[in-house]
Amino acid sequence: MHTKAIRLSKNGGPEVLEYVDVEVGEPGPGEARVRQHAIGVNFIDVYFRTGLYPMPLPSGLGQEGAGVVEAVGEGVSHVKPGDRVAYAGRPNGAYSQLRVMPADILVKLPDDISYETAAAGMLQGMTVWYLFNRTHQLKAGETVLFHAAAGGVGLIACQWARAIGANLIGTAGSNEKVELAKAHGAAHVINYNTEDIVQRVMEITNGAKVPVVYDSVGKDTFTRSLDCLQPLGLMVSFGNSSGAVPPFSLGELASRGSLFITRPSLGAYVATRTELEAAAGDLFQMISSGKVKIEVNQRFALADAAQAHIALESRKTTGSTVLLP
């Protein structure tokens, strides 16, 4: 059967994204065919499009979506036709009306959570889940620094930290974004275009600095992030929206007080079915309870995926962005 999808045959700017007809067949062993109702747009999609993260071409794009199972292949028992499902993870190919995909990344979607909420929240929400539960166990009363606090991951992190009772110091690039992060639960927000991040962190913490920095910005913030850490502090570098972190000397960690550093990604934390169910279950519970609201602030037609990328890369977006097939 025919369906519409976004494909790219070469790396480059948003213009390489093509809206084309593709053929979708029956699911093979371990696969499911899903008719999508909403598709998440994330910065990782930009990295694959530009070639920062290499992938074989031609290819689809996108790692997150929600919809209804139409058919399942041999050996698939955890979902069945008619089930509402959501997913986040490889392989790329979410930018499509219909797709045949590995069934092992699908989780059942509770009835009280919409397709848009799930498509916008799975990747970003499970990212916050592992950052605050696995990479570092965030505790009530703890003060941490979180860059890009008004972005998709950031707004979820602000709310999640508030629910835990932790003090999240956010950074953002405009006064509007500062207010947005505060409204979502950040204890303090630093405007990195008008304020010195390290100096403000010193002031907020009375010179103590923070035990953990969560940094998805990369190149532009890396050194300042290290400078905000207490001795034995943890640098969590989980993205690079400003570009990849350049090579650095391990001595930089020693001179700042025996710092730890990790470069995590979601896949390693939800590698088993048990881990995936736990992560998604905790996320759905946070959403259903009202403690975390997924803010879908931008919607684009699937055909306009290139426009969604332009908006994301120009830092014009807040919260989450979805494509509607």
Side-chain angles (χ1 to χ4, degrees), residues 105-143:
I105 64 170
L106 294 172
V107 293
K108 284 187 188 173
L109 187 59
D111 290 338
D112 63 342
I113 297 177
S114 73
Y115 294 116
E116 278 195 21
T117 296
M122 280 290 285
L123 194 127
Q124 295 169 346
M126 290 197 300
T127 296
V128 175
W129 171 83
Y130 84 69
L131 290 173
F132 287 176
N133 288 280
R134 300 283 305 279
T135 305
H136 171 78
Q137 186 71 56
L138 188 61
K139 295 178 280 294
E142 202 165 31
T143 301

PDB file of all heavy atoms in Angstrom, residues 105-143:
ATOM      1  N   ILE A 105       9.826  -1.493  20.373  1.00  0.00           N
ATOM      2  CA  ILE A 105       9.910  -0.156  20.975  1.00  0.00           C
ATOM      3  C   ILE A 105       8.524   0.449  21.218  1.00  0.00           C
ATOM      4  O   ILE A 105       8.401   1.553  21.745  1.00  0.00           O
ATOM      5  CB  ILE A 105      10.794   0.824  20.167  1.00  0.00           C
ATOM      6  CG1 ILE A 105      10.218   1.091  18.780  1.00  0.00           C
ATOM      7  CG2 ILE A 105      12.222   0.315  20.064  1.00  0.00           C
ATOM      8  CD1 ILE A 105      10.930   2.226  18.044  1.00  0.00           C
ATOM      9  N   LEU A 106       7.464  -0.285  20.853  1.00  0.00           N
ATOM     10  CA  LEU A 106       6.099   0.217  21.051  1.00  0.00           C
ATOM     11  C   LEU A 106       5.625  -0.031  22.475  1.00  0.00           C
ATOM     12  O   LEU A 106       5.846  -1.109  23.029  1.00  0.00           O
ATOM     13  CB  LEU A 106       5.134  -0.486  20.088  1.00  0.00           C
ATOM     14  CG  LEU A 106       5.316  -0.216  18.593  1.00  0.00           C
ATOM     15  CD1 LEU A 106       4.409  -1.131  17.786  1.00  0.00           C
ATOM     16  CD2 LEU A 106       5.022   1.251  18.267  1.00  0.00           C
ATOM     17  N   VAL A 107       4.979   0.969  23.050  1.00  0.00           N
ATOM     18  CA  VAL A 107       4.314   0.775  24.343  1.00  0.00           C
ATOM     19  C   VAL A 107       2.859   1.183  24.180  1.00  0.00           C
ATOM     20  O   VAL A 107       2.523   2.063  23.379  1.00  0.00           O
ATOM     21  CB  VAL A 107       4.971   1.599  25.480  1.00  0.00           C
ATOM     22  CG1 VAL A 107       6.364   1.091  25.765  1.00  0.00           C
ATOM     23  CG2 VAL A 107       4.983   3.085  25.167  1.00  0.00           C
ATOM     24  N   LYS A 108       1.986   0.526  24.939  1.00  0.00           N
ATOM     25  CA  LYS A 108       0.561   0.865  24.883  1.00  0.00           C
ATOM     26  C   LYS A 108       0.339   2.224  25.519  1.00  0.00           C
ATOM     27  O   LYS A 108       0.930   2.549  26.543  1.00  0.00           O
ATOM     28  CB  LYS A 108      -0.256  -0.196  25.613  1.00  0.00           C
ATOM     29  CG  LYS A 108      -0.408  -1.485  24.833  1.00  0.00           C
ATOM     30  CD  LYS A 108      -1.379  -2.408  25.545  1.00  0.00           C
ATOM     31  CE  LYS A 108      -1.383  -3.772  24.877  1.00  0.00           C
ATOM     32  NZ  LYS A 108      -2.190  -4.740  25.648  1.00  0.00           N
ATOM     33  N   LEU A 109      -0.544   2.993  24.884  1.00  0.00           N
ATOM     34  CA  LEU A 109      -0.814   4.366  25.317  1.00  0.00           C
ATOM     35  C   LEU A 109      -2.095   4.392  26.147  1.00  0.00           C
ATOM     36  O   LEU A 109      -3.150   3.953  25.679  1.00  0.00           O
ATOM     37  CB  LEU A 109      -0.960   5.254  24.075  1.00  0.00           C
ATOM     38  CG  LEU A 109      -1.094   6.752  24.263  1.00  0.00           C
ATOM     39  CD1 LEU A 109       0.105   7.315  25.004  1.00  0.00           C
ATOM     40  CD2 LEU A 109      -1.250   7.423  22.905  1.00  0.00           C
ATOM     41  N   PRO A 110      -2.021   4.877  27.399  1.00  0.00           N
ATOM     42  CA  PRO A 110      -3.240   4.980  28.214  1.00  0.00           C
ATOM     43  C   PRO A 110      -4.287   5.855  27.521  1.00  0.00           C
ATOM     44  O   PRO A 110      -3.949   6.803  26.813  1.00  0.00           O
ATOM     45  CB  PRO A 110      -2.755   5.643  29.514  1.00  0.00           C
ATOM     46  CG  PRO A 110      -1.283   5.387  29.553  1.00  0.00           C
ATOM     47  CD  PRO A 110      -0.829   5.347  28.125  1.00  0.00           C
ATOM     48  N   ASP A 111      -5.568   5.520  27.746  1.00  0.00           N
ATOM     49  CA  ASP A 111      -6.661   6.230  27.074  1.00  0.00           C
ATOM     50  C   ASP A 111      -6.709   7.720  27.390  1.00  0.00           C
ATOM     51  O   ASP A 111      -7.208   8.508  26.590  1.00  0.00           O
ATOM     52  CB  ASP A 111      -8.011   5.598  27.458  1.00  0.00           C
ATOM     53  CG  ASP A 111      -8.174   4.216  26.849  1.00  0.00           C
ATOM     54  OD1 ASP A 111      -7.488   3.925  25.850  1.00  0.00           O
ATOM     55  OD2 ASP A 111      -8.977   3.416  27.379  1.00  0.00           O
ATOM     56  N   ASP A 112      -6.197   8.111  28.569  1.00  0.00           N
ATOM     57  CA  ASP A 112      -6.301   9.524  28.956  1.00  0.00           C
ATOM     58  C   ASP A 112      -5.159  10.381  28.419  1.00  0.00           C
ATOM     59  O   ASP A 112      -5.074  11.565  28.729  1.00  0.00           O
ATOM     60  CB  ASP A 112      -6.388   9.655  30.486  1.00  0.00           C
ATOM     61  CG  ASP A 112      -5.138   9.158  31.193  1.00  0.00           C
ATOM     62  OD1 ASP A 112      -4.353   8.408  30.584  1.00  0.00           O
ATOM     63  OD2 ASP A 112      -4.937   9.509  32.371  1.00  0.00           O
ATOM     64  N   ILE A 113      -4.277   9.797  27.608  1.00  0.00           N
ATOM     65  CA  ILE A 113      -3.170  10.568  27.023  1.00  0.00           C
ATOM     66  C   ILE A 113      -3.346  10.611  25.503  1.00  0.00           C
ATOM     67  O   ILE A 113      -3.469   9.577  24.852  1.00  0.00           O
ATOM     68  CB  ILE A 113      -1.807   9.949  27.406  1.00  0.00           C
ATOM     69  CG1 ILE A 113      -1.619  10.026  28.935  1.00  0.00           C
ATOM     70  CG2 ILE A 113      -0.662  10.680  26.691  1.00  0.00           C
ATOM     71  CD1 ILE A 113      -0.339   9.395  29.441  1.00  0.00           C
ATOM     72  N   SER A 114      -3.377  11.826  24.953  1.00  0.00           N
ATOM     73  CA  SER A 114      -3.652  11.993  23.516  1.00  0.00           C
ATOM     74  C   SER A 114      -2.446  11.591  22.668  1.00  0.00           C
ATOM     75  O   SER A 114      -1.319  11.527  23.155  1.00  0.00           O
ATOM     76  CB  SER A 114      -4.028  13.443  23.221  1.00  0.00           C
ATOM     77  OG  SER A 114      -2.871  14.269  23.294  1.00  0.00           O
ATOM     78  N   TYR A 115      -2.727  11.358  21.382  1.00  0.00           N
ATOM     79  CA  TYR A 115      -1.648  11.027  20.440  1.00  0.00           C
ATOM     80  C   TYR A 115      -0.621  12.156  20.376  1.00  0.00           C
ATOM     81  O   TYR A 115       0.592  11.911  20.372  1.00  0.00           O
ATOM     82  CB  TYR A 115      -2.208  10.767  19.039  1.00  0.00           C
ATOM     83  CG  TYR A 115      -3.086   9.548  18.936  1.00  0.00           C
ATOM     84  CD1 TYR A 115      -4.438   9.667  18.603  1.00  0.00           C
ATOM     85  CD2 TYR A 115      -2.575   8.278  19.153  1.00  0.00           C
ATOM     86  CE1 TYR A 115      -5.251   8.549  18.492  1.00  0.00           C
ATOM     87  CE2 TYR A 115      -3.375   7.150  19.050  1.00  0.00           C
ATOM     88  CZ  TYR A 115      -4.720   7.293  18.721  1.00  0.00           C
ATOM     89  OH  TYR A 115      -5.523   6.177  18.635  1.00  0.00           O
ATOM     90  N   GLU A 116      -1.099  13.394  20.324  1.00  0.00           N
ATOM     91  CA  GLU A 116      -0.174  14.535  20.241  1.00  0.00           C
ATOM     92  C   GLU A 116       0.723  14.611  21.476  1.00  0.00           C
ATOM     93  O   GLU A 116       1.932  14.817  21.374  1.00  0.00           O
ATOM     94  CB  GLU A 116      -0.941  15.860  20.102  1.00  0.00           C
ATOM     95  CG  GLU A 116      -1.371  16.172  18.694  1.00  0.00           C
ATOM     96  CD  GLU A 116      -1.788  17.635  18.538  1.00  0.00           C
ATOM     97  OE1 GLU A 116      -1.390  18.476  19.362  1.00  0.00           O
ATOM     98  OE2 GLU A 116      -2.506  17.931  17.568  1.00  0.00           O
ATOM     99  N   THR A 117       0.122  14.451  22.650  1.00  0.00           N
ATOM    100  CA  THR A 117       0.888  14.497  23.895  1.00  0.00           C
ATOM    101  C   THR A 117       1.954  13.410  23.899  1.00  0.00           C
ATOM    102  O   THR A 117       3.115  13.661  24.250  1.00  0.00           O
ATOM    103  CB  THR A 117      -0.043  14.316  25.114  1.00  0.00           C
ATOM    104  OG1 THR A 117      -0.942  15.425  25.156  1.00  0.00           O
ATOM    105  CG2 THR A 117       0.737  14.253  26.406  1.00  0.00           C
ATOM    106  N   ALA A 118       1.580  12.205  23.483  1.00  0.00           N
ATOM    107  CA  ALA A 118       2.525  11.091  23.484  1.00  0.00           C
ATOM    108  C   ALA A 118       3.637  11.305  22.462  1.00  0.00           C
ATOM    109  O   ALA A 118       4.823  11.093  22.759  1.00  0.00           O
ATOM    110  CB  ALA A 118       1.794   9.783  23.195  1.00  0.00           C
ATOM    111  N   ALA A 119       3.261  11.747  21.255  1.00  0.00           N
ATOM    112  CA  ALA A 119       4.265  11.956  20.206  1.00  0.00           C
ATOM    113  C   ALA A 119       5.229  13.069  20.575  1.00  0.00           C
ATOM    114  O   ALA A 119       6.400  13.049  20.206  1.00  0.00           O
ATOM    115  CB  ALA A 119       3.585  12.271  18.879  1.00  0.00           C
ATOM    116  N   ALA A 120       4.724  14.043  21.327  1.00  0.00           N
ATOM    117  CA  ALA A 120       5.575  15.167  21.729  1.00  0.00           C
ATOM    118  C   ALA A 120       6.378  14.853  22.972  1.00  0.00           C
ATOM    119  O   ALA A 120       7.396  15.490  23.238  1.00  0.00           O
ATOM    120  CB  ALA A 120       4.712  16.400  21.982  1.00  0.00           C
ATOM    121  N   GLY A 121       5.929  13.878  23.751  1.00  0.00           N
ATOM    122  CA  GLY A 121       6.504  13.679  25.076  1.00  0.00           C
ATOM    123  C   GLY A 121       7.328  12.430  25.306  1.00  0.00           C
ATOM    124  O   GLY A 121       8.051  12.357  26.301  1.00  0.00           O
ATOM    125  N   MET A 122       7.245  11.456  24.429  1.00  0.00           N
ATOM    126  CA  MET A 122       7.923  10.184  24.700  1.00  0.00           C
ATOM    127  C   MET A 122       9.440  10.329  24.781  1.00  0.00           C
ATOM    128  O   MET A 122      10.068   9.961  25.769  1.00  0.00           O
ATOM    129  CB  MET A 122       7.579   9.151  23.613  1.00  0.00           C
ATOM    130  CG  MET A 122       6.247   8.494  23.804  1.00  0.00           C
ATOM    131  SD  MET A 122       6.196   7.362  25.221  1.00  0.00           S
ATOM    132  CE  MET A 122       7.110   5.961  24.580  1.00  0.00           C
ATOM    133  N   LEU A 123      10.047  10.873  23.730  1.00  0.00           N
ATOM    134  CA  LEU A 123      11.517  10.959  23.697  1.00  0.00           C
ATOM    135  C   LEU A 123      12.022  11.953  24.744  1.00  0.00           C
ATOM    136  O   LEU A 123      12.910  11.651  25.537  1.00  0.00           O
ATOM    137  CB  LEU A 123      11.985  11.350  22.291  1.00  0.00           C
ATOM    138  CG  LEU A 123      13.487  11.130  22.087  1.00  0.00           C
ATOM    139  CD1 LEU A 123      13.736  10.291  20.840  1.00  0.00           C
ATOM    140  CD2 LEU A 123      14.226  12.455  21.911  1.00  0.00           C
ATOM    141  N   GLN A 124      11.395  13.122  24.780  1.00  0.00           N
ATOM    142  CA  GLN A 124      11.840  14.149  25.725  1.00  0.00           C
ATOM    143  C   GLN A 124      11.519  13.747  27.158  1.00  0.00           C
ATOM    144  O   GLN A 124      12.326  13.949  28.070  1.00  0.00           O
ATOM    145  CB  GLN A 124      11.181  15.486  25.357  1.00  0.00           C
ATOM    146  CG  GLN A 124      11.645  15.995  23.994  1.00  0.00           C
ATOM    147  CD  GLN A 124      10.817  17.164  23.486  1.00  0.00           C
ATOM    148  OE1 GLN A 124       9.740  17.470  24.002  1.00  0.00           O
ATOM    149  NE2 GLN A 124      11.316  17.827  22.447  1.00  0.00           N
ATOM    150  N   GLY A 125      10.336  13.155  27.376  1.00  0.00           N
ATOM    151  CA  GLY A 125       9.927  12.766  28.714  1.00  0.00           C
ATOM    152  C   GLY A 125      10.746  11.624  29.277  1.00  0.00           C
ATOM    153  O   GLY A 125      11.150  11.647  30.455  1.00  0.00           O
ATOM    154  N   MET A 126      11.029  10.614  28.440  1.00  0.00           N
ATOM    155  CA  MET A 126      11.861   9.502  28.923  1.00  0.00           C
ATOM    156  C   MET A 126      13.311   9.945  29.098  1.00  0.00           C
ATOM    157  O   MET A 126      14.035   9.389  29.922  1.00  0.00           O
ATOM    158  CB  MET A 126      11.751   8.286  27.995  1.00  0.00           C
ATOM    159  CG  MET A 126      10.386   7.612  28.061  1.00  0.00           C
ATOM    160  SD  MET A 126      10.341   5.924  27.393  1.00  0.00           S
ATOM    161  CE  MET A 126      10.830   6.172  25.697  1.00  0.00           C
ATOM    162  N   THR A 127      13.714  10.975  28.350  1.00  0.00           N
ATOM    163  CA  THR A 127      15.045  11.561  28.562  1.00  0.00           C
ATOM    164  C   THR A 127      15.134  12.160  29.960  1.00  0.00           C
ATOM    165  O   THR A 127      16.078  11.896  30.710  1.00  0.00           O
ATOM    166  CB  THR A 127      15.351  12.624  27.491  1.00  0.00           C
ATOM    167  OG1 THR A 127      15.416  11.992  26.209  1.00  0.00           O
ATOM    168  CG2 THR A 127      16.671  13.328  27.760  1.00  0.00           C
ATOM    169  N   VAL A 128      14.132  12.960  30.332  1.00  0.00           N
ATOM    170  CA  VAL A 128      14.120  13.539  31.688  1.00  0.00           C
ATOM    171  C   VAL A 128      14.059  12.427  32.733  1.00  0.00           C
ATOM    172  O   VAL A 128      14.727  12.484  33.767  1.00  0.00           O
ATOM    173  CB  VAL A 128      12.948  14.524  31.858  1.00  0.00           C
ATOM    174  CG1 VAL A 128      12.865  15.017  33.302  1.00  0.00           C
ATOM    175  CG2 VAL A 128      13.098  15.710  30.904  1.00  0.00           C
ATOM    176  N   TRP A 129      13.285  11.385  32.435  1.00  0.00           N
ATOM    177  CA  TRP A 129      13.171  10.248  33.375  1.00  0.00           C
ATOM    178  C   TRP A 129      14.553   9.665  33.684  1.00  0.00           C
ATOM    179  O   TRP A 129      14.912   9.494  34.840  1.00  0.00           O
ATOM    180  CB  TRP A 129      12.250   9.169  32.795  1.00  0.00           C
ATOM    181  CG  TRP A 129      12.256   7.900  33.600  1.00  0.00           C
ATOM    182  CD1 TRP A 129      11.525   7.645  34.729  1.00  0.00           C
ATOM    183  CD2 TRP A 129      13.051   6.735  33.367  1.00  0.00           C
ATOM    184  NE1 TRP A 129      11.817   6.387  35.207  1.00  0.00           N
ATOM    185  CE2 TRP A 129      12.752   5.809  34.394  1.00  0.00           C
ATOM    186  CE3 TRP A 129      13.988   6.380  32.399  1.00  0.00           C
ATOM    187  CZ2 TRP A 129      13.360   4.552  34.477  1.00  0.00           C
ATOM    188  CZ3 TRP A 129      14.596   5.143  32.472  1.00  0.00           C
ATOM    189  CH2 TRP A 129      14.278   4.245  33.501  1.00  0.00           C
ATOM    190  N   TYR A 130      15.341   9.364  32.636  1.00  0.00           N
ATOM    191  CA  TYR A 130      16.650   8.750  32.928  1.00  0.00           C
ATOM    192  C   TYR A 130      17.626   9.756  33.531  1.00  0.00           C
ATOM    193  O   TYR A 130      18.436   9.402  34.400  1.00  0.00           O
ATOM    194  CB  TYR A 130      17.229   8.014  31.708  1.00  0.00           C
ATOM    195  CG  TYR A 130      17.997   8.821  30.684  1.00  0.00           C
ATOM    196  CD1 TYR A 130      19.252   9.372  30.975  1.00  0.00           C
ATOM    197  CD2 TYR A 130      17.510   9.000  29.394  1.00  0.00           C
ATOM    198  CE1 TYR A 130      19.967  10.089  30.023  1.00  0.00           C
ATOM    199  CE2 TYR A 130      18.214   9.722  28.436  1.00  0.00           C
ATOM    200  CZ  TYR A 130      19.438  10.268  28.762  1.00  0.00           C
ATOM    201  OH  TYR A 130      20.140  10.983  27.823  1.00  0.00           O
ATOM    202  N   LEU A 131      17.547  11.039  33.114  1.00  0.00           N
ATOM    203  CA  LEU A 131      18.449  12.053  33.676  1.00  0.00           C
ATOM    204  C   LEU A 131      18.250  12.205  35.184  1.00  0.00           C
ATOM    205  O   LEU A 131      19.209  12.366  35.936  1.00  0.00           O
ATOM    206  CB  LEU A 131      18.226  13.402  33.000  1.00  0.00           C
ATOM    207  CG  LEU A 131      18.666  13.543  31.542  1.00  0.00           C
ATOM    208  CD1 LEU A 131      18.226  14.882  30.986  1.00  0.00           C
ATOM    209  CD2 LEU A 131      20.174  13.364  31.382  1.00  0.00           C
ATOM    210  N   PHE A 132      16.990  12.157  35.615  1.00  0.00           N
ATOM    211  CA  PHE A 132      16.659  12.412  37.025  1.00  0.00           C
ATOM    212  C   PHE A 132      16.527  11.142  37.869  1.00  0.00           C
ATOM    213  O   PHE A 132      16.450  11.230  39.087  1.00  0.00           O
ATOM    214  CB  PHE A 132      15.347  13.206  37.120  1.00  0.00           C
ATOM    215  CG  PHE A 132      15.467  14.656  36.707  1.00  0.00           C
ATOM    216  CD1 PHE A 132      14.338  15.463  36.672  1.00  0.00           C
ATOM    217  CD2 PHE A 132      16.688  15.228  36.365  1.00  0.00           C
ATOM    218  CE1 PHE A 132      14.429  16.807  36.306  1.00  0.00           C
ATOM    219  CE2 PHE A 132      16.789  16.563  35.996  1.00  0.00           C
ATOM    220  CZ  PHE A 132      15.648  17.350  35.968  1.00  0.00           C
ATOM    221  N   ASN A 133      16.464   9.977  37.221  1.00  0.00           N
ATOM    222  CA  ASN A 133      16.291   8.725  37.964  1.00  0.00           C
ATOM    223  C   ASN A 133      17.459   7.757  37.845  1.00  0.00           C
ATOM    224  O   ASN A 133      17.665   6.944  38.747  1.00  0.00           O
ATOM    225  CB  ASN A 133      15.020   7.995  37.509  1.00  0.00           C
ATOM    226  CG  ASN A 133      13.765   8.680  37.981  1.00  0.00           C
ATOM    227  OD1 ASN A 133      13.351   8.533  39.122  1.00  0.00           O
ATOM    228  ND2 ASN A 133      13.154   9.448  37.094  1.00  0.00           N
ATOM    229  N   ARG A 134      18.181   7.840  36.739  1.00  0.00           N
ATOM    230  CA  ARG A 134      19.231   6.847  36.503  1.00  0.00           C
ATOM    231  C   ARG A 134      20.631   7.459  36.406  1.00  0.00           C
ATOM    232  O   ARG A 134      21.553   7.021  37.087  1.00  0.00           O
ATOM    233  CB  ARG A 134      18.929   6.047  35.216  1.00  0.00           C
ATOM    234  CG  ARG A 134      17.611   5.280  35.243  1.00  0.00           C
ATOM    235  CD  ARG A 134      17.670   4.003  36.077  1.00  0.00           C
ATOM    236  NE  ARG A 134      18.749   3.119  35.656  1.00  0.00           N
ATOM    237  CZ  ARG A 134      18.691   2.276  34.621  1.00  0.00           C
ATOM    238  NH1 ARG A 134      17.591   2.193  33.882  1.00  0.00           N
ATOM    239  NH2 ARG A 134      19.717   1.506  34.314  1.00  0.00           N
ATOM    240  N   THR A 135      20.800   8.479  35.550  1.00  0.00           N
ATOM    241  CA  THR A 135      22.121   9.116  35.426  1.00  0.00           C
ATOM    242  C   THR A 135      22.532   9.713  36.764  1.00  0.00           C
ATOM    243  O   THR A 135      23.681   9.600  37.196  1.00  0.00           O
ATOM    244  CB  THR A 135      22.094  10.221  34.351  1.00  0.00           C
ATOM    245  OG1 THR A 135      21.624   9.655  33.120  1.00  0.00           O
ATOM    246  CG2 THR A 135      23.474  10.784  34.116  1.00  0.00           C
ATOM    247  N   HIS A 136      21.569  10.362  37.415  1.00  0.00           N
ATOM    248  CA  HIS A 136      21.744  10.902  38.767  1.00  0.00           C
ATOM    249  C   HIS A 136      20.385  10.853  39.435  1.00  0.00           C
ATOM    250  O   HIS A 136      19.391  11.256  38.821  1.00  0.00           O
ATOM    251  CB  HIS A 136      22.260  12.349  38.718  1.00  0.00           C
ATOM    252  CG  HIS A 136      22.263  13.033  40.050  1.00  0.00           C
ATOM    253  ND1 HIS A 136      23.246  12.799  40.990  1.00  0.00           N
ATOM    254  CD2 HIS A 136      21.385  13.914  40.616  1.00  0.00           C
ATOM    255  CE1 HIS A 136      22.985  13.523  42.076  1.00  0.00           C
ATOM    256  NE2 HIS A 136      21.865  14.204  41.871  1.00  0.00           N
ATOM    257  N   GLN A 137      20.317  10.355  40.630  1.00  0.00           N
ATOM    258  CA  GLN A 137      19.041  10.294  41.355  1.00  0.00           C
ATOM    259  C   GLN A 137      18.773  11.655  41.987  1.00  0.00           C
ATOM    260  O   GLN A 137      19.346  11.989  43.027  1.00  0.00           O
ATOM    261  CB  GLN A 137      19.098   9.202  42.434  1.00  0.00           C
ATOM    262  CG  GLN A 137      17.772   8.967  43.156  1.00  0.00           C
ATOM    263  CD  GLN A 137      16.728   8.299  42.277  1.00  0.00           C
ATOM    264  OE1 GLN A 137      16.966   7.231  41.732  1.00  0.00           O
ATOM    265  NE2 GLN A 137      15.566   8.936  42.118  1.00  0.00           N
ATOM    266  N   LEU A 138      17.922  12.441  41.332  1.00  0.00           N
ATOM    267  CA  LEU A 138      17.633  13.787  41.818  1.00  0.00           C
ATOM    268  C   LEU A 138      16.784  13.711  43.085  1.00  0.00           C
ATOM    269  O   LEU A 138      15.783  12.994  43.124  1.00  0.00           O
ATOM    270  CB  LEU A 138      16.900  14.585  40.736  1.00  0.00           C
ATOM    271  CG  LEU A 138      16.691  16.081  41.002  1.00  0.00           C
ATOM    272  CD1 LEU A 138      18.013  16.803  41.162  1.00  0.00           C
ATOM    273  CD2 LEU A 138      15.877  16.712  39.875  1.00  0.00           C
ATOM    274  N   LYS A 139      17.210  14.447  44.096  1.00  0.00           N
ATOM    275  CA  LYS A 139      16.540  14.372  45.401  1.00  0.00           C
ATOM    276  C   LYS A 139      15.928  15.719  45.788  1.00  0.00           C
ATOM    277  O   LYS A 139      16.375  16.769  45.332  1.00  0.00           O
ATOM    278  CB  LYS A 139      17.536  13.938  46.480  1.00  0.00           C
ATOM    279  CG  LYS A 139      18.063  12.520  46.290  1.00  0.00           C
ATOM    280  CD  LYS A 139      19.081  12.126  47.336  1.00  0.00           C
ATOM    281  CE  LYS A 139      20.482  12.669  47.077  1.00  0.00           C
ATOM    282  NZ  LYS A 139      21.109  12.120  45.875  1.00  0.00           N
ATOM    283  N   ALA A 140      14.921  15.677  46.639  1.00  0.00           N
ATOM    284  CA  ALA A 140      14.284  16.890  47.153  1.00  0.00           C
ATOM    285  C   ALA A 140      15.337  17.764  47.829  1.00  0.00           C
ATOM    286  O   ALA A 140      16.213  17.260  48.540  1.00  0.00           O
ATOM    287  CB  ALA A 140      13.188  16.524  48.150  1.00  0.00           C
ATOM    288  N   GLY A 141      15.273  19.059  47.575  1.00  0.00           N
ATOM    289  CA  GLY A 141      16.203  19.995  48.198  1.00  0.00           C
ATOM    290  C   GLY A 141      17.512  20.180  47.444  1.00  0.00           C
ATOM    291  O   GLY A 141      18.271  21.109  47.725  1.00  0.00           O
ATOM    292  N   GLU A 142      17.787  19.311  46.474  1.00  0.00           N
ATOM    293  CA  GLU A 142      19.039  19.392  45.716  1.00  0.00           C
ATOM    294  C   GLU A 142      18.933  20.518  44.667  1.00  0.00           C
ATOM    295  O   GLU A 142      17.870  20.740  44.100  1.00  0.00           O
ATOM    296  CB  GLU A 142      19.269  18.051  45.014  1.00  0.00           C
ATOM    297  CG  GLU A 142      20.685  17.766  44.644  1.00  0.00           C
ATOM    298  CD  GLU A 142      20.879  16.287  44.295  1.00  0.00           C
ATOM    299  OE1 GLU A 142      19.946  15.639  43.785  1.00  0.00           O
ATOM    300  OE2 GLU A 142      21.985  15.790  44.533  1.00  0.00           O
ATOM    301  N   THR A 143      20.048  21.214  44.433  1.00  0.00           N
ATOM    302  CA  THR A 143      20.084  22.281  43.435  1.00  0.00           C
ATOM    303  C   THR A 143      20.952  21.862  42.258  1.00  0.00           C
ATOM    304  O   THR A 143      22.107  21.471  42.444  1.00  0.00           O
ATOM    305  CB  THR A 143      20.644  23.584  44.048  1.00  0.00           C
ATOM    306  OG1 THR A 143      19.801  23.967  45.140  1.00  0.00           O
ATOM    307  CG2 THR A 143      20.666  24.715  43.026  1.00  0.00           C
TER     308      THR A 143
END
